[in-house]
Amino acid sequence: MKCPVCNHENGDAHFCERCGSNLTQTTSSPTPVPNSKSAASEPEYTRWSSTQATSSQASVPSNTPSVSIHKEQARESTGTNDHASAGDNSSNQWNNIVQNEKVQQAKEVSKQYLSYFLSVLARPYQTVKTVGDQHSLNGWLTMALIAVLSSTYFLITFSRIGMDGLFIGGFLRPLLFTVIILIASIALMYAILKIEKITFRPKTLVAQFGTLLVPAVVSLVLANLFIIISYSIAISLLAVSYIIIFVALNSVLFQYPLNRTKAAIDSMYSVLIANVVVFFILYRLLGEIIIGLIRLMLSPFGRL
């Protein structure tokens, strides 16, 4: 048997005659030696690279869900921000549309009222015979202008005199009193027509009354302008504007066929009562103010 250590040829001995190596263990385990040597002779970087590859392959699945979760959260947050910004933009666009519509409506109403005002100013009594429910808004606008312009007249006058409580006594009170006078006039016309059992439309009644009040608006505008020039002319124009209210009340009533039925009171007396009531309300609310302005007109300072 050849010794694997020193290559000495031996017989059937169990030990080498030269080096003394155990020939029995060498022959019984020839296969493990090359395996151990191959394992020992395997390069270090090969085992490290295989270990790293195995660990990296094992770590990839564990990290993948967290990465996907972060991506989904980022997508959700981006989508939420996009929806929020889209909602804000849509609400802003809607507000702009609504505001533009209101502005356009206001422009259309002002244009219509201006054309209506100019046409009525030329022939108010003839126009009152053709107005209908569609002109009721113009009637209310005319009455609103009368209330504002009359209170503006008193405010300017009191400010020039130097009275205290200008805004309340010189603007709010005349504004409220003028509104009460106009509403009372409409209510009296409504009551008389109901007593006379005449079929009419309330909106048409307002449109007719407002149509005949258009000259009063012009008179009040001139009154506000003439305060700077002369108190006497201004107070006269103010009085004319309130006289037009009485003329309009009577003119509207006589547009209808009064005294068709045998009422308890004649139509002439019912119209007269309506005029007295309006005059009483005017005197109680604005009498003191108007009388004070007339005294100012008669003074040397008011004759400028």
Side-chain angles (χ1 to χ4, degrees):
M1 181 178 293
K2 191 175 182 177
C3 179
V5 178
C6 62
N7 294 324
H8 178 70
E9 188 67 34
N10 299 298
D12 294 333
H14 294 285
F15 297 95
C16 180
E17 295 175 354
R18 179 180 294 179
C19 64
S21 299
N22 192 351
L23 301 177
T24 304
Q25 293 180 356
T26 306
T27 56
S28 62
S29 57
T31 54
V33 173
N35 291 336
S36 61
K37 288 183 178 180
S38 62
S41 61
E42 183 181 3
E44 185 67 24
Y45 74 91
T46 305
R47 285 178 291 157
W48 178 84
S49 61
S50 62
T51 305
Q52 292 296 323
T54 305
S55 62
S56 63
Q57 290 177 359
S59 62
V60 167
S62 62
N63 293 333
T64 303
S66 62
V67 174
S68 63
I69 291 172
H70 287 300
K71 289 183 179 179
E72 291 295 332
Q73 291 178 353
R75 290 175 183 174
E76 290 179 358
S77 62
T78 305
T80 304
N81 294 330
D82 292 338
H83 286 301
S85 61
D88 294 337
N89 292 330
S90 61
S91 62
N92 292 331
Q93 290 177 357
W94 175 253
N95 292 330
N96 293 330
I97 291 172
V98 171
Q99 291 177 359
N100 291 332
E101 288 181 354
K102 290 181 179 180
V103 171
Q104 293 298 328
Q105 289 176 359
K107 289 182 179 179
E108 290 296 328
V109 171
S110 61
K111 289 180 181 178
Q112 292 177 1
Y113 181 76
L114 181 60
S115 60
Y116 159 84
F117 186 88
L118 295 176
S119 62
V120 170
L121 186 60
R123 297 181 179 273
Y125 189 73
Q126 292 183 1
T127 307
V128 76
K129 299 177 182 179
T130 60
V131 295
D133 293 353
Q134 68 274 15
H135 299 97
S136 61
L137 178 60
N138 295 327
W140 289 116
L141 289 175
T142 303
M143 286 184 275
L145 285 175
I146 290 174
V148 172
L149 289 172
S150 61
S151 57
T152 303
Y153 174 87
F154 291 118
L155 179 64
I156 296 173
T157 304
F158 290 165
S159 63
R160 295 197 67 185
I161 296 174
M163 295 180 62
D164 297 331
L166 288 178
F167 185 72
I168 296 176
F171 186 81
L172 289 182
R173 288 181 63 186
L175 178 67
L176 179 62
F177 294 161
T178 306
V179 169
I180 292 173
I181 293 168
L182 295 172
I183 297 298
S185 301
I186 296 174
L188 288 169
M189 289 187 292
Y190 182 89
I192 291 173
L193 294 178
K194 281 294 184 180
I195 292 172
E196 294 286 338
K197 297 180 181 180
I198 296 174
T199 303
F200 67 98
R201 300 177 68 87
K203 288 185 177 180
T204 303
L205 186 68
V206 172
Q208 291 173 341
F209 186 59
T211 299
L212 293 175
L213 290 178
V214 168
V217 175
V218 179
S219 179
L220 285 170
V221 171
L222 294 175
N224 283 276
L225 295 176
F226 273 93
I227 293 176
I228 304 173
I229 301 173
S230 173
Y231 280 110
S232 59
I233 298 176
I235 192 63
S236 300
L237 292 170
L238 178 68
V240 168
S241 64
Y242 284 105
I243 292 172
I244 292 174
I245 296 176
F246 289 93
V247 175
L249 184 147
N250 292 277
S251 299
V252 171
L253 287 175
F254 285 110
Q255 291 292 319
Y256 295 90
L258 300 178
N259 205 22
R260 289 192 311 173
T261 60
K262 294 181 180 180
I265 185 172
D266 190 80
S267 300
M268 178 179 178
Y269 295 113
S270 61
V271 174
L272 179 62
I273 291 172
N275 283 271
V276 171
V277 171
V278 173
F279 179 79
F280 179 77
I281 295 173
L282 176 63
Y283 175 76
R284 291 293 297 175
L285 297 180
L286 296 175
E288 295 181 359
I289 300 175
I290 295 175
I291 291 173
L293 293 177
I294 292 174
R295 290 176 180 174
L296 180 63
M297 178 190 68
L298 297 176
S299 67
F301 179 72
R303 294 175 184 174
L304 294 176

